[in-house]
Amino acid sequence: MSGVTDLVDPPRTRRPAITSLEVLCGLLVLAMLFQGRLAALLDVPALRTGSTIFVAVCVQAMPFLVFGVLVSGLIAAFVPPAALRRALPGRPAAAVPVAGVAGLALPGCECASVPVARRLIQQGVLPAAAFTFLLAAPAVNPVVLVSTAVAFPAEPRMVLARFLASLLTACAMGWLWARLGRAEWLAERVLRRVECHASGGSRWAAFTESARHDLVEAGGFLVLGGLASAVFNVLVPAAWMESLGGQLLLGVLVMAVLAVVLALCSEADAFVVASMPGLPLTAKLVFLVVGPAVDIKLIALQSGAFGRRFAARFAPATFLVAVGSACAVGAALLGGA
């Protein structure tokens, strides 16, 4: 018997795993202990400016991100997949404009629309319609349109121009995906159907788990986008912007790139661009249309939600479509000014 027992391996004690939560808590404790030394080390004007911008981007976007994941969780737990599929036409050509107009119902920024769009696909909605909603919701909702009207009190045409150009961008990308998009470009987790048939408390458990998962995943990419935006704002001199007055083509190109890298919330970007004197109205419209459709923060969120292969194709195409739509609508409504 003793020989048999010697051959049996003793039970192994499982070592506790160190997760990112423990690492974060440890860093916070170290920061509190060495607060004085860190403050002296980081007391640099550029770092103060960058940290302010980083915090502003994250704080500005986080409430809308939370709103989005809550809507996503409610869809996953309480909305039957059959109801979502019945709400949209079966043909992509007809479902795309309906999804674009449905963006009026979600008063949030692009951070909120990403988890909702992914949940719609997991519930059986056509990807073309879900991506149309993703682009339309942060750009054509009432909150954005009202903020644009307040920011441009002397130019009421900007509100209509932003609405039409943004809706055109969303529908064009939806139709483009229906025509050329491939399922293998999406991450496998996106195509995995999420069916919820539970009732009562189990539905609330499903809602809590879904919202928690989406918030943790999307929040990390939001931080990365906010960090990139802060770095750009620190490195680019403000004097460069003053040389764009009266140059339409250069202004359009620069404002399109700025919309991508500044990563502003769609509810606040109108006030930022309205404060830039001397820029042509069409260039400002490009900024307002491109920003909610494709920026650093949104690319990071899309990469985390739908996969890198999707973001690498969808973001550049959206950028070109958004710039073209804004220029076309600007030439028609703003006279190319």
Side-chain angles (χ1 to χ4, degrees):
M1 292 293 293
S2 61
V4 175
T5 55
D6 292 339
L7 295 177
V8 179
D9 293 334
R12 298 179 180 179
T13 57
R14 188 175 182 181
R15 301 176 63 181
I18 299 178
T19 65
S20 58
L21 180 60
E22 284 78 12
V23 174
L24 176 61
C25 292
L27 292 176
L28 291 177
V29 171
L30 291 176
M32 293 176 61
L33 294 176
F34 299 98
Q35 181 179 3
R37 295 183 180 180
L38 287 176
L41 180 63
L42 300 178
D43 190 16
V44 180
L47 289 178
R48 289 200 302 267
T49 302
S51 62
T52 301
I53 295 172
F54 170 75
V55 172
V57 170
C58 293
V59 171
Q60 187 181 54
M62 186 57 70
F64 299 101
L65 178 61
V66 173
F67 176 74
V69 299
L70 291 178
V71 174
S72 174
L74 290 173
I75 292 175
F78 294 98
V79 179
L84 292 174
R85 290 189 287 268
R86 286 195 303 266
L88 293 172
R91 297 174 59 246
V96 164
V98 174
V101 176
L104 289 165
L106 182 61
C109 73
E110 57 271 21
C111 302
S113 63
V114 171
V116 175
R118 182 177 67 173
R119 186 62 63 187
L120 291 175
I121 296 176
Q122 292 175 332
Q123 296 285 56
V125 173
L126 292 173
F131 295 144
T132 302
F133 178 83
L134 183 151
L135 296 176
V140 303
N141 69 74
V143 176
V144 169
L145 298 179
V146 170
S147 68
T148 305
V150 174
F152 292 91
E155 294 292 343
R157 297 174 297 171
M158 285 294 290
V159 180
L160 180 60
R162 183 176 193 178
F163 173 81
L164 294 178
S166 298
L167 186 61
L168 177 60
T169 299
C171 292
M173 285 304 301
W175 286 320
L176 190 62
W177 178 268
R179 179 82 174 178
L180 303 175
R182 298 179 182 178
E184 55 264 28
W185 293 346
L186 297 172
E188 183 180 354
R189 62 182 180 274
V190 181
L191 300 176
R192 190 181 301 118
R193 288 289 183 90
V194 177
E195 304 282 349
C196 184
H197 303 287
S199 59
S202 57
R203 283 188 178 271
W204 284 108
F207 160 73
T208 303
E209 176 60 25
S210 174
R212 183 197 63 80
H213 176 271
D214 288 346
L215 180 60
V216 171
E217 185 177 80
F221 287 94
L222 172 61
V223 171
L224 293 178
L227 180 61
S229 176
V231 171
F232 177 84
N233 277 272
V234 171
L235 296 180
V236 175
W240 288 9
M241 297 298 300
E242 300 176 0
S243 62
L244 298 179
Q247 303 185 46
L248 179 59
L249 180 59
L250 182 60
V252 166
L253 294 177
V254 172
M255 295 306 292
V257 175
L258 277 181
V260 175
V261 296
L262 288 181
L264 297 175
C265 184
S266 58
E267 273 79 11
D269 56 2
F271 297 97
V272 174
V273 73
S275 64
M276 298 179 181
L279 286 173
L281 288 179
T282 300
K284 294 184 177 182
L285 177 63
V286 169
F287 184 90
L288 296 177
V289 175
V290 172
V294 51
D295 59 32
I296 291 178
K297 175 175 82 270
L298 185 55
I299 293 173
L301 290 171
Q302 290 179 357
S303 179
F306 302 106
R308 295 179 181 177
R309 297 180 65 187
F310 167 83
R313 293 167 173 82
F314 193 79
T318 304
F319 178 81
L320 295 176
V321 171
V323 172
S325 300
C327 289
V329 173
L333 295 183
L334 305 178

